Amino acid sequence: MEREGNSSYLQTAGRALSVLQLFEDKGEYSLTEISHLIHLGPTITYRLLYTLTEHCFLSQDPVSKRYRIGDGTVMLGLVGLQNKEIYRASHRLVLDYYQQTGDHVCVTVCIGGKSVVIEKFSSLADDEDSLYIGQSYSLQRGASNRILLAFMDARQQEEYLESLLLDDAQRAGLQEELNRIRQRGYDYTEQLLTKGLWGLSVPIYDRYGRFAAGLSTGDFLDENSALVVPERLERLRQLADRIMKRMRN
């Protein structure tokens, strides 16, 4: 969207929102860091931060003076998550699946060109897992994320691949792999995101047949993995079917 000269665009509000968007990539910032990143002087930046903090969209550590996401932003995020159709349709089914099977299971969606985890139940310890609810990840790494890149709109996929600045051979190799994922209807990776783990993912479509989310599972690589993966794929597809049926109702 062209913003310069657009009478409908409120510059001050846009600057404040640009500050909030910084926290998608990092947990906390100093005033100096934010001032540098948004290309504004420290006085204007301070006033933006003060206003956002007053409204609880940011908070400031009393000792380090660094800024973090505030409770107001957290509340908005939770409301937004609960209003997403995929979350409402999948939450209970994913929990039931985990309780019945004990399988690690995760739901990811594409937001702002990144993979975001919106639901996860796992038997893996935190130091063995690499996916966390609310965190964002690159779309090209790991089955949980790559499924989103493979099944997204062709124009969006093209724009994302362009942003990676790959050479011709790398670009062709990744495009070929994405095409294979789409053709077979699932993705399978070994140690692509986390050492010692395999990952498996399938697509979820909404009531209109549009790609909506990725559903994934994974486990430790061992001598039984080749036997386990086909069974897990079938269970994962059945869970995806139940979620999509609920989305259609």
Side-chain angles (χ1 to χ4, degrees), residues 119-249:
E119 187 67 280
K120 188 191 83 167
F121 296 98
S122 180
S123 56
L124 301 174
D126 283 347
D127 60 348
E128 297 166 339
D129 198 2
S130 54
L131 294 172
Y132 303 93
I133 292 177
Q135 289 278 15
S136 60
Y137 303 87
S138 299
L139 292 172
Q140 74 273 21
R141 295 192 63 229
S144 301
N145 310 314
R146 207 166 59 167
I147 194 78
L148 303 177
L149 183 57
F151 282 88
M152 68 167 42
D153 175 81
R155 180 183 58 80
Q156 292 178 315
Q157 185 187 92
E158 177 74 16
E159 290 176 354
Y160 184 83
L161 293 178
E162 287 289 341
S163 73
L164 297 178
L165 302 177
L166 303 174
D167 62 36
D168 290 344
Q170 292 171 323
R171 170 73 178 269
L174 178 55
Q175 185 68 71
E176 185 178 345
E177 182 60 27
L178 296 175
N179 291 340
R180 281 198 295 267
I181 294 168
R182 194 164 186 127
Q183 288 168 5
R184 70 188 179 216
Y186 69 92
D187 190 17
Y188 174 76
T189 61
E190 293 184 355
Q191 305 189 89
L192 190 59
L193 187 63
T194 309
K195 184 178 180 180
L197 297 181
W198 58 261
L200 183 67
S201 58
V202 298
I204 295 175
Y205 298 91
D206 67 14
R207 68 183 68 192
Y208 304 107
R210 300 173 303 198
F211 176 64
L215 181 68
S216 61
T217 188
D219 215 326
F220 294 103
L221 272 169
D222 58 31
E223 65 274 10
N224 296 317
S225 295
L227 298 175
V228 170
V229 169
E231 298 174 1
R232 294 282 284 274
L233 176 59
E234 181 59 27
R235 289 208 295 263
L236 200 64
R237 282 174 163 165
Q238 291 173 359
L239 175 58
D241 287 342
R242 291 196 294 274
I243 293 172
M244 290 187 285
K245 182 178 180 181
R246 179 163 292 183
M247 293 180 75
R248 291 191 294 267
N249 293 336

Side-chain angles (χ1 to χ4, degrees), residues 20-43:
L20 292 177
Q21 288 176 320
L22 294 176
F23 292 87
E24 294 175 4
D25 300 316
K26 186 177 173 182
E28 61 179 30
Y29 292 92
S30 67
L31 168 62
T32 302
E33 289 171 330
I34 294 173
S35 176
H36 173 74
L37 289 168
I38 64 174
H39 308 293
L40 291 174
T43 301

Side-chain angles (χ1 to χ4, degrees), residues 52-147:
L52 289 168
T53 302
E54 279 292 295
H55 288 274
C56 298
F57 289 107
L58 292 179
S59 64
Q60 186 182 36
D61 187 278
V63 177
S64 69
K65 303 301 181 182
R66 295 175 70 82
Y67 292 89
R68 303 186 181 106
I69 285 294
D71 289 344
T73 305
V74 173
M75 286 300 298
L76 280 179
L78 290 172
V79 171
L81 174 60
Q82 291 165 7
N83 283 333
K84 289 189 77 68
E85 183 181 22
I86 180 61
Y87 178 81
R88 297 197 307 272
S90 65
H91 175 70
R92 186 72 240 179
L93 291 172
V94 169
L95 174 58
D96 289 345
Y97 175 88
Y98 172 72
Q99 290 176 333
Q100 292 166 12
T101 66
D103 294 349
H104 167 96
V105 61
C106 179
V107 180
T108 50
V109 297
C110 185
I111 299 176
K114 298 178 181 178
S115 173
V116 179
V117 180
I118 65 167
E119 187 67 280
K120 188 191 83 167
F121 296 98
S122 180
S123 56
L124 301 174
D126 283 347
D127 60 348
E128 297 166 339
D129 198 2
S130 54
L131 294 172
Y132 303 93
I133 292 177
Q135 289 278 15
S136 60
Y137 303 87
S138 299
L139 292 172
Q140 74 273 21
R141 295 192 63 229
S144 301
N145 310 314
R146 207 166 59 167
I147 194 78

